[in-house]
Amino acid sequence: MRGALFAFDDGLARLEDMFLIAAHAVIAVLVCLAVVLRYVFRSPFTWDQEFIVGLFTWMIFIGCSAAIRSKLHIRIESTGQLYARPRWTFMNGVGVAAGAVVIGVMVWAGLSNAIDTADTLTPMLNVPQALFDAALPISGMFLLVHMLRILLERGAAQVFRSSTEDVAEDVQ
Amino acid sequence: MTLLLVLLTVLLLAGMPIFVAMIGASLAVILWEGIPLSVVAQRVTTGVQSFPLLAIPLFTLAGMLMNESGISERLFTFTRAFVGHIRGGMAQSAIVGNIFLSGISGSSVADCAATTRVFVPQLVRTGYGQGFAAALCASCATLGPIIPPSILMVIYAWQANISLGDLFWAGVIPGFVMALSMMIAVAIIAYRRQYPKDAAFSGSRLWVQFKRAFWALLMPVLILVGFRMGVFTATEIAAVAAAYSLIVGKFIYGTLKWSMLPRILLVTAKETAVILAIVGAAAPFSWILSIEQAPQLITAAIKDLTTSPWVLLLLLNGVLLVLGTFMETLGTMIILVPILIPVLNAFQIDLVHFGIVLLINLTIGQLTPPVGVLVFVAASISRTPMGRLLKELGPFLIALVAALIVLTFVPSLSLWLPRLLNH
């Protein structure tokens, strides 16, 4: 079970990374292309902004999920130092449990929102708004999988730990 | 409002990432008020669906492409040829070099890492103390968010609904004032400790190094001129800057390889996502604050305390400096700005001027433990014991706080350039 979860998480991580590289490259190229078409050829796209913003939305939420594996998220770092003390270690578990509840509720709220907007079409691309709104709940599920993996593999103290805390600990 | 702020504090103290804590506090209040929870999801999603915010990943990409092209070495060699001949010249060249580096990267942490890697070994080799060298490199990096382009400025301009071009231009003179204040501190220390100086100034050496660094030096100029023209949007300028960095790194300097691009794109995408997740989480948070009329209540409370904009700025400086010691820069800014904007408007404080004051306060916070990220980075890379670094940090902190006071109470230092260019 544990091995299957880790393998699934590794696969998810690879997919996320590939998506992020591709999405960021496509966004950068499209914005540059739009500049050339608008100011050089005076013939701008009509759909570019909507498509770019939609892709950008996915990039942010998937990136937000992927960032937890790279310890990039930002929190009050001194809490990590405080909860490393023996008397306070239980707070790591409390923080992770509360965080998982918040993200779980957010996934549910995001799914409700995506279902609500399934019939609403975007103005330029004429695609359901839910295609963009689904980024939040789907990436929230990915984030929960990553959190579970870190929790099982390295313990509660490591789930929300940032790389800055590693650097600070290294220095001290 | 009280429930929202108490919950946010509790969740932050539970050790959650800022974006999770903000969403958690908003969800609880929404649930308490009987509003559908999907409103929070809708606000978070629409909060990031903004074309102007695309400037953030593109400026970050431009900065990282330049950094990976090895421009820091070229810039520092150029600045050493420029100021190396004065006493403590190598330390001075780190400060001047950071003025240019800040005009390219937009990230204080990246600037700090680059400066520490290049300078600390050289400074120690030529007789400077290791603690001094690391403290200097950490302090120089505070110029990053003040000198354009700056990611924090993009977010502040978006939050305060002001012109990003004005804010970028407003950061130029304050950046120089901060650099000057640190240079004075270094000059005094160098004179007292008799730190070394390089060979006499040579115009031909400066010209050779200028030519080596020319294409990197041109980038901030292109960005500011792009804003001055008033034709391009911030996102378009950021995209052009990214394309320019790629061309310079790949085809002019030849140091950037295609194989490096996937890693650069991945890192910048993740770094951007972390920032914008907080921006998205702030959308329902600010919405709740506004429906509960929090800004109006806070404005009224502050007006009971004082009616002077100068006293308010002094108070805000104190609060921001204290907050900066234990809160992360971006989180503090995103939480406070929606609350402060109506207060600042009521006191008729210019939002561009305040933006500069806010950013200086928060970047000084990056130098002070327990959340002094620049101190950690400089100490870690240079392998300097924390105690030795902190012991040498005092003069730099005094210099930066002095610059902050001057820039707070002389708004024309921030506003002169944008006003000149707007007329």
Side-chain angles (χ1 to χ4, degrees):
Chain A
M1 189 66 188
R2 205 175 143 105
L5 172 76
F6 287 8
F8 178 66
D9 184 65
D10 287 339
L12 205 57
R14 271 196 296 276
L15 272 179
E16 282 177 343
D17 287 355
M18 281 192 291
F19 173 79
L20 289 172
I21 293 166
H24 200 178
V26 168
I27 287 171
V29 169
L30 274 181
V31 178
C32 285
L33 197 60
V35 171
V36 174
L37 289 176
R38 188 184 309 269
Y39 298 104
V40 179
F41 295 103
R42 308 270 169 201
S43 169
F45 291 133
T46 51
W47 50 269
D48 61 327
Q49 283 210 5
E50 199 174 285
F51 177 77
I52 291 169
V53 168
L55 192 58
F56 182 50
T57 309
W58 275 95
M59 187 182 96
I60 291 166
F61 291 121
I62 294 291
C64 186
S65 161
I68 201 154
R69 291 184 283 110
S70 315
K71 297 184 170 185
L72 286 175
H73 279 296
I74 303 164
R75 66 170 179 169
I76 298 182
E77 281 121 6
S78 37
T79 57
Q81 294 167 13
L82 177 66
Y83 303 150
R85 294 178 187 169
R87 197 182 287 180
W88 288 95
T89 47
F90 74 95
M91 278 302 295
N92 293 309
V94 172
V96 172
V101 170
V102 170
I103 295 163
V105 175
M106 199 63 219
V107 167
W108 181 83
L111 283 173
S112 304
N113 181 46
I115 291 165
D116 289 346
T117 56
D119 295 332
T120 310
L121 297 180
T122 61
M124 300 310 297
L125 294 171
N126 269 320
V127 296
Q129 178 66 36
L131 271 182
F132 301 155
D133 291 347
L136 176 66
I138 290 175
S139 62
M141 286 187 253
F142 292 177
L143 180 56
L144 286 171
V145 174
H146 296 319
M147 282 172 62
L148 183 61
R149 196 256 173 87
I150 300 169
L151 179 70
L152 292 175
E153 199 173 40
R154 286 178 274 158
Q158 295 293 324
V159 175
F160 291 139
R161 190 177 166 88
S162 72
S163 52
T164 315
E165 290 170 66
D166 289 344
V167 173
E169 193 179 270
D170 186 35
V171 169
Q172 281 154 2
Chain B
M1 177 180 76
T2 314
L3 178 66
L4 185 72
L5 295 179
V6 168
L7 277 170
L8 176 69
T9 310
V10 169
L11 296 179
L12 284 174
L13 291 178
M16 285 184 196
I18 293 172
F19 85 98
V20 180
M22 290 180 93
I23 289 175
S26 304
L27 281 170
V29 173
I30 289 281
L31 200 63
W32 179 266
E33 299 282 348
I35 301 169
L37 288 178
S38 58
V39 170
V40 177
Q42 187 200 20
R43 293 263 160 193
V44 171
T45 311
T46 51
V48 295
Q49 285 178 342
S50 156
F51 199 71
L53 288 178
L54 262 164
I56 295 173
L58 296 172
F59 273 133
T60 312
L61 180 63
M64 191 153 175
L65 285 167
M66 275 291 189
N67 276 338
E68 294 284 324
S69 308
I71 49 123
S72 47
E73 183 271 327
R74 287 170 191 262
L75 287 176
F76 292 140
T77 316
F78 163 65
T79 54
R80 195 166 169 189
F82 189 40
V83 291
H85 61 285
I86 59 176
R87 182 150 312 278
M90 197 188 283
Q92 301 286 19
S93 67
I95 299 172
V96 179
N98 260 274
I99 296 176
F100 296 114
L101 200 59
S102 304
I104 292 165
S105 86
S107 157
S108 53
V109 175
D111 294 351
C112 180
T115 315
T116 307
R117 272 195 202 101
V118 173
F119 271 98
V120 174
Q122 289 186 45
L123 285 164
V124 172
R125 241 191 337 266
T126 45
Y128 293 79
Q130 193 178 6
F132 172 82
L136 168 78
C137 294
S139 306
C140 290
T142 54
L143 297 174
I146 312 300
I147 294 178
S150 154
I151 303 305
L152 290 176
M153 280 186 182
V154 177
I155 296 171
Y156 175 80
W158 180 76
Q159 280 190 295
N161 199 19
I162 57 172
S163 155
L164 179 62
D166 283 356
L167 195 60
F168 271 11
W169 277 106
V172 175
I173 293 176
F176 280 97
V177 171
M178 287 168 72
L180 186 67
S181 69
M182 287 189 282
M183 288 177 80
I184 292 170
V186 166
I188 294 168
I189 296 168
Y191 177 75
R192 281 189 178 170
R193 298 182 187 172
Q194 285 298 299
Y195 281 148
K197 46 185 173 182
D198 287 353
F201 178 79
S202 153
S204 59
R205 192 172 61 218
L206 182 66
W207 177 242
V208 169
Q209 297 306 334
F210 174 74
K211 282 193 289 185
R212 276 188 80 228
F214 174 76
W215 295 104
L217 292 169
L218 195 61
M219 191 169 118
V221 178
L222 285 177
I223 292 169
L224 285 171
V225 169
F227 276 107
R228 175 70 192 94
M229 286 165 71
V231 179
F232 304 104
T233 65
T235 305
E236 290 169 344
I237 292 170
V240 172
Y244 176 82
S245 306
L246 181 65
I247 292 166
V248 169
K250 176 71 192 157
F251 301 108
I252 298 177
Y253 290 159
T255 42
L256 202 66
K257 295 182 173 59
W258 291 119
S259 60
M260 293 157 80
L261 272 185
R263 184 181 54 80
I264 293 171
L265 286 165
L266 182 62
V267 171
T268 48
K270 284 185 190 175
E271 284 178 355
T272 308
V274 168
I275 295 169
L276 289 168
I278 301 175
V279 171
F285 192 85
S286 307
W287 179 69
I288 295 168
L289 284 175
S290 68
I291 58 170
E292 294 194 349
Q293 298 199 311
Q296 290 86 337
L297 292 171
I298 292 167
T299 307
I302 292 176
K303 277 198 161 173
D304 283 344
L305 205 67
T306 180
T307 51
S308 161
W310 300 114
V311 175
L312 176 67
L313 281 172
L314 194 67
L315 285 173
L316 286 175
N317 271 338
V319 171
L320 290 168
L321 279 175
V322 172
L323 276 178
T325 60
F326 62 92
M327 278 283 287
E328 199 279 331
T329 313
L330 179 70
T332 313
M333 195 176 95
I334 286 177
I335 293 168
L336 284 186
V337 169
I339 299 172
L340 289 179
I341 294 297
V343 181
L344 297 165
N345 282 330
F347 279 77
Q348 295 184 320
I349 293 171
D350 191 289
L351 294 181
V352 172
H353 172 227
F354 178 73
I356 300 299
V357 172
L358 172 82
L359 292 179
I360 298 172
N361 269 295
L362 297 178
T363 47
I364 291 175
Q366 291 187 316
L367 280 180
T368 49
V371 194
V373 64
L374 298 178
V375 170
F376 295 146
V377 170
S380 169
I381 292 175
S382 64
R383 296 273 146 208
T384 305
M386 200 66 162
R388 275 167 71 184
L389 191 158
L390 292 175
K391 214 169 115 184
E392 296 283 356
L393 201 60
F396 295 104
L397 279 176
I398 292 169
L400 287 169
V401 171
L404 169 67
I405 292 168
V406 169
L407 292 164
T408 302
F409 294 106
V410 188
S412 52
L413 286 172
S414 310
L415 300 176
W416 179 72
L417 259 182
R419 281 182 182 159
L420 179 79
L421 294 166
N422 281 335
H423 286 89

